[in-house]
């Protein structure tokens, strides 16, 4: 069993079983993953198994009875040998033996086992990798015999299990990273350091201690063999049982972890083996290898120069393989183009990781070896830099489009960029791009990303913090030569979450980290929120979690704080928050992760890097040697003391055995011996401890005791008395704040450092506009040194400054305020002029031209000085001054030169600060007479008025004009990056002006320009090109404006807000200085300038431009041509002689009551405006007839005339006066115009009176409804309940059944089935007590015809589609309409030909049915039929196709109906004469007669009670002429009562008629009395009415609808209440 320290045995927080399960869980997870994804792992395990088998065969009897326990605690024996193996083989120091890919080492190991197995059969230490290690291990085991007896039963589970477990132990902590969430912000450097720490702790605690290894090395001096006793059978059985139990436990644990959520095992990709760079010859093959781990299994992609490699686009060139986590890229037959940087990118759901390798392909022959170029760096010395022409001395590196001083805010994304131009440009020879902050090289991280596109370098701050503030430098390295550019980046504080809360602290760092203790330091913020900062809270978070916990309960003011209670082996990050009375600041940026480790362990880790970082470290207790009570610690002293805590430090004891020690800290008040234990519950592991809860101002002494499982040792020597209080004083305020000018937006501030300042962090600088009382921080990150440039100031403002110092104790008092200084650019000497060229050369003189210096030094250039020297045989002579007085032009003629002599020149510029540095010497020029015919180059090119799509180019004419005068110029343009072949001319024809506006530029594109002069001889040499100009409209750009003041003065105005105190406005006409000021008056005030025309005329036409000196090319122009001049002169006249502008002239309109309104509207009127109203030259005033009104707000002027009369004919005028401005407008109302207005006014007046009572809004009109009825309607208004409405037609009142409801204001009269009889004059009258109104509608003649046409149209539209109906007479085609009018003309067409009506083909109308009947149809009647309905205007058609099946079915139905009609017409029938019931007295005679009919003549049969009745003397039956049948009974008696029937029959059918005879005794009278005319005497017959006949008809008609060929139906004849049943038989 593992021995536990005594102080851990009684604490519940230490759970040994929990640690054991945790360890087993690690093994199970790792085994499960490795089995599935690593064939290399299996291969290594198999190789290791062969060596392990030899060991197992030779040491079968050497197992200890404590092997199972030894295995559960980490296989100490194997740990020793793994450590020995680690020291023996550097190739395997970073990975487990089981996971090793070094097959050669494995085979050697296996051979060693086989070779030594016989000699060492009883030894348990047969894992050594060679004979030398084996002999050393043997001696160690003699010395440690007790430990060897307890070593490792792991081998009993088989060599394969051993190898897998070994790999799990060596990389076991990796499994714990699967379920963790990595805390962001770990830099690569810190991450590697943490990986080393984690690996060392895992290996140390799982395999061997440092002391054990050293002891082993000491003991290896002897190589004697160790003898062991043979194990007994009992011991072997017990060990076998323990192995089985252990195996079962492992299987159960593995089964448990199989059920775990695999998401907990996820982890990001990690390169176990990275691809290696290669240098090969052409035509050789190369293969790049890498091994990647991760879960889920990462997907790997290969890139060449950041472009994905596609094997399909280069068949046979690339071969990509991936198997079991091993990946390879094979490149066949490498050529020179394969020289590149290759990247392997592994990605899964947890993240992405890349590894890089470079490939250099060398040629056998060539001018230079490209293997010097590797991964963008140059390995050859600077003096041998490669150029396209061989070897050059250096590269020319230029920065274009540079990043300037930048301002950002916390949390924002900032990007710095710069375009780099390198000459010469060599293919595949890339520069090394480096970024520095305050002189420290920046490495990529989560917060900083870098990018190099091949032309532009960018650095992006993804989430800016105050830590990112500083001086950023871009350095471009080409071999040993480099150029750099720098600019400052300021990061302001983010807005506080609470108003008045302080800004966040910055630069949180972890110092003096130990096993359970770390000191956190930070810098105080520059902004306290308006109230002093009370202190700081420190928060910690364990790496892999997101839970933050506060470390201190009360705020601490000191900017360092010790955090205790850390768990050894785990990593933490920290943050700090500031507190004042308003609230708590937002947290600072988190610190870099720090691992809780012993400093000695960390030092060893740096020299022995090991396994990859796994996010968490598993710390296990070392198995102790024999118990030894540790001795006292040494060198105990106080390393830091504040009023909140005291930090103690000591060294571990020399006597402590092989077991780790812990410490108890004790304290006592100085002068006493009353010692109290500080950490009463748990001892500390680190030799550092922070003591809290001390009384400020008191003195204390401290001592420390060591402890382990053997007991508590003696105390150390006590410290000297320590007074609790801050030992570090707040620094004193800096002094002598001196501001000096720098640029127009910055000031350089210097100061003297704080006196006696200790541990100074830096200084904060604040600035304030003089007199404002508001201070703003100039820097948010303390600056070291005593000089700082404050940027972002307002030009022209006066600023004062103050500074305070910062250290861990706090911020000093503010320094004294500096003197006020105006922000403006400092004056310095200008930079050298450049692009010096010869403009003309004669025998004894030459004319030079040059460009203005790029930096003028903050002051206007006052002149230039030119020097020259002779060059004889390539050797330059002494410089001579060409001019003593400075020349203002950028061209100068040098006299007194020697003909045919070679000269060099240089030019220096001068300003108020002095003469600047001369330009470098020009190339050599020969002084000789130019004889060329064409002109020389123009010079002094200048780009002005630069906008996003245009600019104006100015130049000066060539000094040398050639043989003939210059006749014009050509302007050429090209993009800056384009080659010389892309020069193009802007103007097709030469221009005489020395300026040109170039349009059509692309926004954001950089351009170059040049000018060529021409004469009769031809086009001369082009001028030097301009500097690159970007087509853009800069922010704040303003254009020149023209203005006309109230006095009519025309002026051009230009405003500039970028002026410096020395800036001036320079006006020009047609880009030439204005020398004659007689026509213009200039005035400048502040940032505005005005050029006023004294008398604008044709002499003033042209382009007027204005430029502002000492600015970045601020300029604008305005063109005045003839049209613009006319417009301005007209506007000037209006301003000199102002008129009141009118929106509308005087007009008249009628109001509702017939009043006349005269009105006009002015653009605007002041409150003092006056109006006179004039009629026929006489002023009229407000009264009963005229009402006047003037609205000064809207400018509306109106006059209302109550009633217009004959005397009002004439002219009306409104006269306006508003200050100096006047105007008038007149309206003439005479003749027909006046009469028309008067009549309309009278009508309007009458209308108004009419509308006072009930009246019509819409007069009577008509509409035709969808039912083809006519609806007369009108709309009324001003109706009340008493209002009556009466309708009339032709003067006769129309009686209406219902009263009208006026809710909707509509009155209607519906006329159904409208026809000619409804024509007439309709009138409707409204009346009540207020008056009446009437409306007439004439529906006669044309109006009636229009209405009838509409009715007919509606009827025609309502017509249904044509249908077919078969009849006994023939076939009928018909359509239904709503109703029919004779005015609707109907015609029929058959096959597009009009039908001629005959007896066989007829048309007609029956009700609403319009039909065409075809009697006895024949096949000729087939075809298309069209019914045309003409409504008087339009023809409406309905069509039907009577052919094919439709015709056949119609004909068949016609034949069937025809036969049925014949049968019905000729069948036998009884026409009448028989009663239903006959009641007769006994003894009377009965005589009944009925008529029958049929063709052929029917047969007659009489029945009684449904039995045939035969004639005899009593019953006489007669049938005469086939028409009359009679029935006579003489002397009836009661037996004659019954039901009698007569049946008539022929071939078409039969019919029966029933009657009942009731014979009553004598004198019985029942029913009703009737007379029988056929009986003699007044016989009384009583009968009922209901008589029933039955008829049956037969014919040859076949009904297809009946299966048996019969059809029955009920027919009701003409006789009342009589039913006849007909049956047709086929």
């Amino acid at each position: 069993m593992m021995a536990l320290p005594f102080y851990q045995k009684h604490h519940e927080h230490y759970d040994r079983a929990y640690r054991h399960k945790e360890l087993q869980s690690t093994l199970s997870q790792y085994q499960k993953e490795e089995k599935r994804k690593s064939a290399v792992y299996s291969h290594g395990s198999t190789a290791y198994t062969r060596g392990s088998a030899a060991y197992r065969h030779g040491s079968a009897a050497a197992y200890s009875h404590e092997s199972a326990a030894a295995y559960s605690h980490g296989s100490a024996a194997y740990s020793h040998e793994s450590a020995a193996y680690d020291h023996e083989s550097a190739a395997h120091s970073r990975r487990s033996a089981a996971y090793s890919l070094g097959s050669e080492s494995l085979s050697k190991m296996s051979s060693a086992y086989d070779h030594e197995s016989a000699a060492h059969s009883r030894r348990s230490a047969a894992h050594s990798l060679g004979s030398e290690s084996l002999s050393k291990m043997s001696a160690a085991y003699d010395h440690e015999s007790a430990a060897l007896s307890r070593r490792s039963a792991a081998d009993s589970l088989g060599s394969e299990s051993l190898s897998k477990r070994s790999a799990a132990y060596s990389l076991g902590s990796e499994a714990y990273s699967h379920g963790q969430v990595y805390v962001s912000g770990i830099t690569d450097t810190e991450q590697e350091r943490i990986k080393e720490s984690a690996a060392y702790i895992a290996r140390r605690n799982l395999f061997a201690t440092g002391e054990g290894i050293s002891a082993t090395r000491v003991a290896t001096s002897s190589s004697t063999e160790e003898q062991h006793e043979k194990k007994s059978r009992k011991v072997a059985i017990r060990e076998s049982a323990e192995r089985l139990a252990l195996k079962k436990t492992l299987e159960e644990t593995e089964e448990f972890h199989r059920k775990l959520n695999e998401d907990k095992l996820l982890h990001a990709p990690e390169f176990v083996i990275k691809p290696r760079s290669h240098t090969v010859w052409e035509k050789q093959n190369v293969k790049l290898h890498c091994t990647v781990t991760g879960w889920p299994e990462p997907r790997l992609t290969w890139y060449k120069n950041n472009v994905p490699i596609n094997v399909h686009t280069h068949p046979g060139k690339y071969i990509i393989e991936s198997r079991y986590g091993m990946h390879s890229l094979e490149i066949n037959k490498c050529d020179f183009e394969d020289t590149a940087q290759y990247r392997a990118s592994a990605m899964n759901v947890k993240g992405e990781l890349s590894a890089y390798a470079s490939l250099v392909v060398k040629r056998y022959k060539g001018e230079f070896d490209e293997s010097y170029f590797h991964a963008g760096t140059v390995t050859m010395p600077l003096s041998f830099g490669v150029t396209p022409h061989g070897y050059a001395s250096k590269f020319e590196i230029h920065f274009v489009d540079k990043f300037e001083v930048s301002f950002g805010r916390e949390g924002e994304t900032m990007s710095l960029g710069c375009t780099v131009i390198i000459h010469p440009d060599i293919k595949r020879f890339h520069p090394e791009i480096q970024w520095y902050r305050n002189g420290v090289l920046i490495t990529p991280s989560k917060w900083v990303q870098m990018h190099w596109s091949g032309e532009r370098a960018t650095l992006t701050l993804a989430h800016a913090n105050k830590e990112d503030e500083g001086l950023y430098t871009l350095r471009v390295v080409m071999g040993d030569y480099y150029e750099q550019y720098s600019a400052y980046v300021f990061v302001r504080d983010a807005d506080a979450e609470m108003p008045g809360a302080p800004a966040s602290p910055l630069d949180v760092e972890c110092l003096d980290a130990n096993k359970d203790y770390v000191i956190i330091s930070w810098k105080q913020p520059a902004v306290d929120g308006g109230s002093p900062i009370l202190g700081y809270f420190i928060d910690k978070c364990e790496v892999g979690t997101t839970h933050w916990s506060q470390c201190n309960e009360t705020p601490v003011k000191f900017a360092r704080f010790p955090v205790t209670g850390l768990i050894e082996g785990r990593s933490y990050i920290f943050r700090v928050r500031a507190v004042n009375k308003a609230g708590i600041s937002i947290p600072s940026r988190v610190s870099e992760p720090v691992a809780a480790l012993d400093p000695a362990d960390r030092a060893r880790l740096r020299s022995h890097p090991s396994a990859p970082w796994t996010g968490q470290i598993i710390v296990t207790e070392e198995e102790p040697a024999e118990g030894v009570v540790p001795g006292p610690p040494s060198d105990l002293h106080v390393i830091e003391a504040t009023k909140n805590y005291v930090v103690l430090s000591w060294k571990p004891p020399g006597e402590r055995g092989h077991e780790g020690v812990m410490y108890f800290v004790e304290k006592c008040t100085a002068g006493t011996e009353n010692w109290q234990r500080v950490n009463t519950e748990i001892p500390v592991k680190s030799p550092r401890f922070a003591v809290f809860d001390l009384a400020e101002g008191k003195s204390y002494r401290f001592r420390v005791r060591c402890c382990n499982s053997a007991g508590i040792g003696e105390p150390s020597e006590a410290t000297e008395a320590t007074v609790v209080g801050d030992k570090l004083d707040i620094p004193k305020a800096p002094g002598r704040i001196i501001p000096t000018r720098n640029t127009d937006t910055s000031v350089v501030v210097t100061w003297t450092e704080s006196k006696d300042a200790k541990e100074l962090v830096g200084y904060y600088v604040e600035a304030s506009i003089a007199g404002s009382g508001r201070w703003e921080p100039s820097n948010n990150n303390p600056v070291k040194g005593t000089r700082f440039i404050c940027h972002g100031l307002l030009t022209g403002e006066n600023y004062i400054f103050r500074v305070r110092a910062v250290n861990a104790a706090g911020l000093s008092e503010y320094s004294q305020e500096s003197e006020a200084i105006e922000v403006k650019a400092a004056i310095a000497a200008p930079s050298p002029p450049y692009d010096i060229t010869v403009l003309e050369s004669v025998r004894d003189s030459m004319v030079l031209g040059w460009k203005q210096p790029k930096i003028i030094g903050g002051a206007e250039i006052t002149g230039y000085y030119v020097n020259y020297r002779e060059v004889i045989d390539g050797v330059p002579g002494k410089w001579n001054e060409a001019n003593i007085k400075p020349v203002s032009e950028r061209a100068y003629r040098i006299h007194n030169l020697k003909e045919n002599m070679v000269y060099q020149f240089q030019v220096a510029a001068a300003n108020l600060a002095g003469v600047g540095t001369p330009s470098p010497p020009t190339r050599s020029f020969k002084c000789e007479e130019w004889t060329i015919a064409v002109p020389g180059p123009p010079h002094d090119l200048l780009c002005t008025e630069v906008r996003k799509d245009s600019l104006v180019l100015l130049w000066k004419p060539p000094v040398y004009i050639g043989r003939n005068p210059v006749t014009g110029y050509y302007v050429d343009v090209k993009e800056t990056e384009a080659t010389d072949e892309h020069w193009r001319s802007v103007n097709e024809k030469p221009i005489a002006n020395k300026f040109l506006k170039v349009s059509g530029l692309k926004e954001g594109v950089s351009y170059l320009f040049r000018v060529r002069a021409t004469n009769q001889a031809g086009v001369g040499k082009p001028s030097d090109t301009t500097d690159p100009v970007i087509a853009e409209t800069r922010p704040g750009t303003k254009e020149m404006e023209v203005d006309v003041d109230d006095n009519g003065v025309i002026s051009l105005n230009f405003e500039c807000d970028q002026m410096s105190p020395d800036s001036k406005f320079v006006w020009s006409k047609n880009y030439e200085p204005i020398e004659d000021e007689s026509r213009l008056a200039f005035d400048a005030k502040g940032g505005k300038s005005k050029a006023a025309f004294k008398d604008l005329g044709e002499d003033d036409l042209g382009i007027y431009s204005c430029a502002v000196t000492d600015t970045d090319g601020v300029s604008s122009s305005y063109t005045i041509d003839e049209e613009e001049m006319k417009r301005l002169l007209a506007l000037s006249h209006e301003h000199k002689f102002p008129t009141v502008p009118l929106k509308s002239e005087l007009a008249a309109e009628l109001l509702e009551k017939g009043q006349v309104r005269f009105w006009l509207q002015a653009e605007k009127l002041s409150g003092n405006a006056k109006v006179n109203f004039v009629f026929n030259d006489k002023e009229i005033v407000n009264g009963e007839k005229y009402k006047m009104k003037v609205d000064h707000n809207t400018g509306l002027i109106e006059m209302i005339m109550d009633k217009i009369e004959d005397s009002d004919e004439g002219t009306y005028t409104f006269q306006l006066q508003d200050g100096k401005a006047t105007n008038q407008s007149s309206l003439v109302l005479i003749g027909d115009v006046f009469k028309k207005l008067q009549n309309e006014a009278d009508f309007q007046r009458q209308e108004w009176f009419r509308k006072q009572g009930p009246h019509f809004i819409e007069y009577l009109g008509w509409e035709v409804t969808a039912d083809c009825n006519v609806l007369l309607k009108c709309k009324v208004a001003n109706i009340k309940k008493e209002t009556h409405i009466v309708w009339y037609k032709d003067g006769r009142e129309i009686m209406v059944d219902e009263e009208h409801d006026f809710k909707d204001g509509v009155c209607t009269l519906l006329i159904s089935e409208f026809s000619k009889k409804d024509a007439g004059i309709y009138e409707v009258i409204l009346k009540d007590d207020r008056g009446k109104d009437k409306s007439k509608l004439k529906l006669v003649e044309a109006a009636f015809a229009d209405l009838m046409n509409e009715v007919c149209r509606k009827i025609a539209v309502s017509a249904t589609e044509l249908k077919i109906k078969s009849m006994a007479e023939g076939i009928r085609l018909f359509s239904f309409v709503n109703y029919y009018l004779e005015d609707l003309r109907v015609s029929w067409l058959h096959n597009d030909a009009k039908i001629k009506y005959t007896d066989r083909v007829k048309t007609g109308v029956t009700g609403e049915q319009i039909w065409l009947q075809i009697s006895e149809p024949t096949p000729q009647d087939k075809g298309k039929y069209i019914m045309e309905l003409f409504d008087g205007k339009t023809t409406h058609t309905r069509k039907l196709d009577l052919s094919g099946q439709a015709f056949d079915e119609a004909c068949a139905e016609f034949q069937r109906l025809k036969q049925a009609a014949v049968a019905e017409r000729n069948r036998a029938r009884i026409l009448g004469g028989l009663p239903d019931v006959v009641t007769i007295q006994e003894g009377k005679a009965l005589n009944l007669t009925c008529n029958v009919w049929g063709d052929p003549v029917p047969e007659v049969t009489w029945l009684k009670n449904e039995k045939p009745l035969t004639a005899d003397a009593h019953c006489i039956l007669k049938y005469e002429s086939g028409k009359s049948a009679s029935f006579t009974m003489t002397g009836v008696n009661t037996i004659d009562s019954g039901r009698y029937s007569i049946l008539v029959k022929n071939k078409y059918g039969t019919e029966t008629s029933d009657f009942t005879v009731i014979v009553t005794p004598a004198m019985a009278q029942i029913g009703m009395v009737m007379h029988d005319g056929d009986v003699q005497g007044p016989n009384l017959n009583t009968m009922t009415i209901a008589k029933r006949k039955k008829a049956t008809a037969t014919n040859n008609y076949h009904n297809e609808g009946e299966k048996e060929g019969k059809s029955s139906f009920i027919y009701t004849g003409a006789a009342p209440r009589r039913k006849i049943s007909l049956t047709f038989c086929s």
Side-chain angles (χ1 to χ4, degrees), residues 309-365:
I309 296 176
N310 189 342
V311 296
H312 301 292
T313 57
H314 304 86
K317 180 67 176 177
Y318 302 104
I319 300 175
I320 297 177
E321 295 180 350
S322 297
R323 185 178 182 186
Y324 303 112
M326 293 184 62
H327 306 271
S328 65
L329 168 66
E330 184 174 359
I331 307 173
N332 295 320
K333 296 182 179 180
C334 295
D335 56 22
F336 200 64
E337 298 296 328
D338 292 322
T339 298
Q341 185 183 64
Y342 292 84
R343 174 165 65 98
S345 175
M347 179 183 296
N348 65 8
V349 296
K350 295 300 290 182
E352 187 266 347
L353 188 65
S354 297
Y356 297 85
S358 296
L359 175 63
V360 176
V361 181
K362 297 196 297 183
R363 287 177 176 171
Y364 290 101
K365 294 181 181 181

Side-chain angles (χ1 to χ4, degrees), residues 29 86 138 160 181 225 268 303 376 787 792 839 874 966 973 1024 1151 1200 1223 1278 1430 1476 1541 1600 1613 1621:
Q29 293 174 8
D86 182 72
S138 176
E160 183 175 354
V181 179
E225 297 183 355
Y303 294 82
R787 181 181 183 273
L839 303 178
V966 174
V973 64
D1024 286 343
L1151 301 181
I1200 298 176
N1223 207 342
N1278 202 10
F1430 183 68
D1476 292 333
S1541 301
E1600 296 180 359
S1621 177

Side-chain angles (χ1 to χ4, degrees), residues 129 618 626 703 748 788 1097 1273 1291 1316 1594:
L129 302 179
I618 307 301
E626 295 296 332
R703 70 184 185 185
V748 178
F788 185 72
K1273 67 176 183 178
K1316 292 181 179 180
T1594 61

Side-chain angles (χ1 to χ4, degrees), residues 7 91 184 401 499 585 1166:
Y7 52 82
S184 60
D401 191 16
S585 72
S1166 67

